[in-house]
Amino acid sequence: MPRTLRHLRWYIGTLLFFSTVINYIDRQTLSVLAPVLKTEFHWTNSDFALVLISFRVAYAVGQAVSGRFLDIVGTRRGLTWSVAAYSIVAALTSFATGLRSFCAFRFLLGAGESANWPGATKTVAEWFPRRESGWAVALFDSGSSIGAAVAGPLVLTIYYLSGSWRPAFLVTGMLGFVWLPIFRAMYRRPEDHPRLSADERRTILEGRGAAGADTSGRRLSYTTLLSLPQTWGIIIGKTLTDPVWFFITDWFAVFLVAKGFRLESSLLAFWVPFVAADLGNFFGGGWSSFLIRRGWSVGRARKALIVGGAFGVLMLIPAFGMTLLIPAVVLTSLSWLVACFAVSTFSYAALSTMVLNLPADVYPPHSVASVSGMSGAGAGIGTVAATYAIGLISDRYSFGPILVGASLIPLVAAAAILLLVRNTEATRRGIVNAI
C-alpha cells in the first residue's frame, strides 16, 4: 500500500497553482507580444481587440459547458483533457500568419482553457474544509498573477534570443505537458486517494459537510440553480469584476506604450501590478480564514473583503481600492502610474478570491463547478463587451474613460453580492449551505 503523505490537500492545492500559472503564461504570451504583433501586422487597437474577443467568446461559452462537464466526468479526467488541448493550441499559434489565423487560434485556446477555474473551484470544494477554502482559493488564483508576471520576462527573453515571436508561443505551449504527468500521478478524489491519511480524510469530509447542505452527490439542475438569488449574485459579481482584471492583463503592455514608455525599459514595472495581485489573493484568503476562526460566519467574512476590495476600505484601514485606476488617467510618472495599478490589482485580487470562494461556500460539491462555470460564462460575456469597447474607445479617444469605468463598475458588483448572496428558504431546506 502506498505511503501516506501529510497535508496531501496542500499538495493538491499546489498542483492547481501551477496549472493556473501555466494557463496564464499561455494566454499572456499574446499580450506581452502585442506591441510587436501590432507593428508587424499593422493592427489597430480595434484589430487587437478582435483577437482578444475571439478568446473571450470561446472562454465564455466553454466555462458554462465545462463546469457541468467537470461535475459529470470529474476533475482528474476533465482537467487532463483541458490542459492537453490548450497546450497543443498554444504551441500551434506559432504558425499564425495574420489576423484571421490569430483569431482562430485564440478561439481554440479559450475553449481549452475554460475548464481551469471551474475545475480548480470544484477541487477546493472536494479537498478543503470551509475554514481553509479561502487560503486554497488564494493559492490557486495567485497563479494568475504569478503567470502574468512571469510571462513578461520569459516571453521577451525568448523573443530577443530567437529574433522572432514564433518560438515564444511554441515554448510556452509545451509547459502544460510538463505538468500533466505529475497531475495524473498525484490526483484522486479524497474518498479514493490511497496516499491520504485517515485523519486528513476525516478532516476534509467533516469540514466539507459542516454547513448542512446535501452532500450525497446529487447535482442540482440548472433550473434550480438559476432560481436561486445566490447564483445570480455570484454571476453578477464575477461578470462585473473580471473585465477589470482582463483589461489590465490584456492591455497593460499596450497602455504603457501608449503612455510613451518603452516596454523593454519598463519590464520591472510590468511585474509590479501582478505581484501586488498575488499579495491581494493571499490577503483576502488569509484574512477571511482568520475571521472565520474568530467566529465570524463564512458569509460575513467573505463580504467584508468584497466590500473592502471594491469600495476601498480593507478592514477599516483607509485605502483607495480599485478606484485608484482613476488617477492613472493623468499621471505621467511611471512609478506613480504603476503604484495606482498595484493598489487596484491588490484590491481586485482580494475581492476576486472571495467571489471564487462563494460557489464552494454555498453549493454542494457536485454542483460547484456548474455554478463556477456559469459565473465564468457571465464574466466572459462581460469581458467580450468590455474588450470591444476598449478597442473602439482607445482608438477614437484614449484609455481615460476606460480607467474611470474600470474603477466604478466593481462597486455595483459588490452591492449585488451583498444583496443576493444570503441565506434564503433554499438554505433552510438544505438545498444550499448557510452563508
Side-chain angles (χ1 to χ4, degrees):
M1 184 175 178
R3 183 171 60 88
T4 60
L5 288 174
R6 293 185 61 196
H7 309 301
L8 180 58
R9 62 191 183 278
W10 293 108
Y11 287 84
I12 300 298
T14 302
L15 280 174
L16 298 177
F17 165 78
F18 282 110
S19 171
T20 306
V21 169
I22 293 167
N23 183 290
Y24 253 78
I25 289 174
D26 283 344
R27 73 172 70 176
Q28 284 299 108
T29 300
L30 175 77
S31 298
V32 173
L33 292 171
V36 175
L37 297 173
K38 284 181 63 184
T39 300
E40 179 169 333
F41 294 107
H42 308 290
W43 292 345
T44 63
N45 283 342
S46 296
D47 293 328
F48 181 58
L50 288 177
V51 181
L52 298 176
I53 287 170
S54 299
F55 176 93
R56 296 297 167 202
V57 168
Y59 195 73
V61 175
Q63 288 238 303
V65 174
S66 64
R68 200 61 164 183
F69 172 73
L70 284 158
D71 277 334
I72 294 171
V73 306
T75 306
R76 187 170 186 265
R77 185 182 301 175
L79 283 183
T80 296
W81 291 349
S82 170
V83 174
Y86 76 66
S87 296
I88 291 170
V89 172
L92 289 177
T93 306
S94 60
F95 294 102
T97 57
L99 184 63
R100 290 183 179 179
S101 55
F102 266 104
C103 287
F105 281 122
R106 296 305 283 187
F107 182 89
L108 294 173
L109 185 72
E113 289 197 349
S114 63
N116 188 77
W117 262 259
T121 305
K122 178 179 176 64
T123 302
V124 169
E126 290 177 344
W127 272 92
F128 290 88
R130 295 175 91 203
R131 66 180 181 274
E132 294 179 348
S133 64
W135 281 112
V137 169
L139 177 61
F140 86 71
D141 194 40
S142 70
S144 60
S145 49
I146 293 295
V150 169
L154 174 63
V155 169
L156 289 178
T157 298
I158 297 170
Y159 169 69
Y160 286 118
L161 288 177
S162 65
S164 170
W165 54 265
R166 297 182 188 276
F169 285 100
L170 183 62
V171 172
T172 56
M174 291 295 102
L175 296 175
F177 292 105
V178 177
W179 180 85
L180 269 174
I182 303 171
F183 173 74
R184 295 284 300 176
M186 282 288 296
Y187 192 87
R188 301 289 189 281
R189 293 177 68 242
E191 290 89 340
D192 311 321
H193 207 298
R195 304 195 70 176
L196 183 64
S197 69
D199 287 343
E200 186 172 8
R201 182 177 285 110
R202 189 181 310 110
T203 297
I204 292 168
L205 298 182
E206 290 177 355
R208 177 200 293 175
D214 179 12
T215 58
S216 63
R218 181 173 61 90
R219 283 186 295 274
L220 300 178
S221 69
Y222 277 118
T223 301
T224 299
L225 291 173
L226 291 172
S227 70
L228 300 171
Q230 295 94 327
T231 304
W232 287 104
I234 294 169
I235 291 173
I236 293 170
K238 198 161 172 59
T239 297
L240 296 181
T241 55
D242 270 25
V244 180
W245 172 247
F246 290 126
F247 158 63
I248 295 171
T249 59
D250 290 341
W251 292 91
F252 192 48
V254 176
F255 173 74
L256 289 178
V257 172
K259 277 283 193 176
F261 302 106
R262 294 180 67 249
L263 194 57
E264 298 87 342
S265 60
S266 56
L267 188 57
L268 181 60
F270 190 88
W271 273 61
V272 175
F274 301 114
V275 173
D278 194 47
L279 296 175
N281 284 130
F282 287 102
F283 175 86
W287 194 249
S288 66
S289 294
F290 170 77
L291 293 174
I292 292 169
R293 289 196 303 271
R294 297 279 293 181
W296 287 41
S297 69
V298 172
R300 186 184 175 201
R302 306 295 191 222
K303 290 176 181 179
L305 272 297
I306 289 170
V307 171
F311 287 87
V313 181
L314 294 173
M315 297 312 299
L316 305 182
I317 301 173
F320 294 98
M322 297 175 73
T323 60
L324 207 60
L325 287 175
I326 294 175
V329 175
V330 295
L331 290 172
T332 56
S333 163
L334 180 62
S335 298
W336 282 107
L337 191 69
V338 170
C340 287
F341 272 85
V343 172
S344 297
T345 55
F346 177 95
S347 301
Y348 163 81
L351 181 156
S352 175
T353 300
M354 298 301 95
V355 177
L356 285 169
N357 260 286
L358 291 175
D361 289 333
V362 174
Y363 300 91
H366 284 76
S367 297
V368 169
S370 296
V371 177
S372 179
M374 285 191 288
S375 68
I381 293 169
T383 304
V384 167
T387 302
Y388 181 74
I390 290 167
L392 286 178
I393 293 169
S394 61
D395 273 340
R396 295 184 182 182
Y397 305 103
S398 70
F399 281 99
I402 300 162
L403 291 167
V404 174
S407 291
L408 300 180
I409 289 175
L411 307 182
V412 180
I417 293 170
L418 290 177
L419 290 172
L420 297 174
V421 182
R422 52 186 170 78
N423 295 326
T424 62
E425 178 62 26
T427 311
R428 291 185 285 274
R429 292 166 55 195
I431 296 173
V432 294
N433 294 323
I435 188 72

